[in-house]
Amino acid sequence: MAFKISTAAGAFALMALSAASVFAQSNPLAEPTAARTDTKTIIVGSADFPESQLLATIYAKALVAKGIAVETKLNIGSREVYIPALLDGSIDLLPEYAGATMSYLDKNATAHSPADVAAALKAALPKGVSMLTPSAAQDSDSVAVTRATAEKYKLKTIADLAPVASELVLGGPPEWKTRKEGIIGLKELYGLEFQSFKSLDVGGPLTLSALVNGQVQAANLFSTDPAIAANDLVVLDDVKNLFPAQNIVPVIATPKVSDVVTKTLDAVSAALTTKDLVVMNGRLANHDSFDVVAGDWLTEHKLN
């Protein structure tokens, strides 16, 4: 079966190609916190994958349109890097995924529905950090396999992997080794022990290529990735709710919260849909820049 790897790979290549921005942008976390004397500017950060960078760009542009001074520090890294950056003042605002952040902050969290996850996340946030209104839009972690693998082993759910996991290699980002929403949860909740785990990227071209080329037989991809449909991949149903609701939510340093910031970002969250994420990710895959895609979306929704 022929697979269309290039569709998704282009989106992740943009991490390098989209360095030019309409905003003043420093290397992520390059400047020490002690050097900050400007208390008005909001520094918007992001994780190290395109959708997060796109959402951060949307936040930044929406705030700029309201006259707020903004700086961006995109492509910082994983949650294990950017949450400490938020806590130490290196960044002030970032787009987050409610369930994953909840689990990161509270290892014993069991909430699954959007409302329960939002409540649990709010309770788990450290002092000095606030969350604004979550969006209905979600982008969840998933375990995906090729159509051929699904048919060979009759796989429809993650639980179906139990009899064959020992024969398969699992691929995912390095942090999956230690995350509940990763190897730990797959073992504890589903009883899965894979032949081995291959550290790749965050649902990017390495993961996709490894999956479609057979270097791994199951992999972590994001549910809004247009490569899933383009490559006829099968997302296995999470019947035991390993992955909690992953609504997009702005997380912000409490001192930077104001009426205008809240109203602006709440309007973004209210307009954003899961379908929007899939469409915009598809445009990134076709080499449109973060700035252009974000600007077009904001214009469409009259938010800039």
Side-chain angles (χ1 to χ4, degrees):
M1 181 181 295
F3 295 98
K4 302 176 182 178
I5 300 176
S6 59
T7 299
F12 294 88
L14 285 169
M15 283 189 272
L17 296 177
S18 300
S21 174
V22 295
F23 306 108
Q25 182 168 324
S26 305
N27 289 331
L29 311 183
E31 298 177 6
T33 304
R36 286 192 66 182
T37 56
D38 179 2
T39 59
K40 295 182 179 180
T41 298
I42 294 179
I43 299 179
V44 184
S46 82
D48 56 349
F49 56 91
E51 184 178 274
S52 178
Q53 295 176 70
L54 173 65
L55 289 167
T57 304
I58 288 174
Y59 288 179
K61 281 180 171 289
L63 292 171
V64 167
K66 297 299 182 181
I68 295 173
V70 169
E71 180 183 344
T72 59
K73 291 189 176 182
L74 307 184
N75 197 25
I76 292 171
S78 69
R79 190 165 287 106
E80 288 78 1
V81 178
Y82 63 71
I83 291 295
L86 178 65
L87 295 175
D88 72 19
S90 298
I91 59 175
D92 303 309
L93 167 68
L94 60 128
E96 262 294 24
Y97 299 83
T101 314
M102 172 196 71
S103 297
Y104 172 82
L105 296 171
D106 180 0
K107 305 301 182 186
N108 297 315
T110 58
H112 184 263
S113 72
D116 289 347
V117 167
L121 173 58
K122 185 175 182 179
L125 286 172
K127 183 179 179 180
V129 177
S130 301
M131 58 178 275
L132 302 184
T133 304
S135 173
Q138 290 196 52
D139 182 3
S140 300
D141 282 288
S142 72
V143 176
V145 299
T146 64
R147 178 72 59 185
T149 297
E151 292 177 352
K152 178 180 179 180
Y153 296 110
K154 296 180 173 58
L155 304 176
K156 293 183 179 180
T157 73
I158 296 176
D160 293 337
L161 286 166
V164 297
S166 61
E167 303 172 29
L168 309 179
V169 177
L170 174 67
E175 53 267 26
W176 253 42
K177 293 179 181 178
T178 56
R179 282 187 180 173
K180 179 181 176 182
E181 290 79 21
I183 290 178
I184 292 175
L186 288 170
K187 182 176 180 180
E188 291 181 351
L189 198 60
Y190 283 101
L192 303 183
E193 295 198 43
F194 289 88
Q195 180 185 109
S196 62
F197 175 77
K198 188 174 182 65
S199 292
L200 298 164
D201 53 9
V202 187
L206 294 179
T207 300
L208 181 62
S209 178
L211 181 60
V212 300
N213 290 322
Q215 295 168 303
V216 301
Q217 289 74 50
N220 172 223
L221 292 176
F222 296 125
S223 61
T224 59
D225 190 339
I228 292 173
N231 292 280
D232 192 29
L233 302 176
V234 176
V235 172
L236 302 179
D237 288 342
D238 179 19
V239 292
K240 295 188 177 182
N241 297 328
L242 171 61
F243 304 120
Q246 301 289 7
N247 299 82
I248 309 301
V249 59
V251 175
I252 185 170
T254 303
K256 295 301 175 82
V257 177
S258 67
D259 286 344
V260 65
V261 169
T262 299
K263 290 179 181 178
T264 299
L265 296 181
D266 279 355
V268 168
S269 294
L272 187 67
T273 67
T274 300
K275 183 179 179 180
D276 288 342
L277 293 176
V278 176
V279 171
M280 288 191 288
N281 284 335
R283 289 190 61 186
L284 295 180
N286 288 324
H287 304 285
D288 286 350
S289 72
F290 297 121
D291 284 334
V292 169
V293 176
D296 287 350
W297 184 87
L298 288 164
T299 298
E300 178 185 353
H301 295 280
K302 299 179 181 180
L303 293 172
N304 60 1

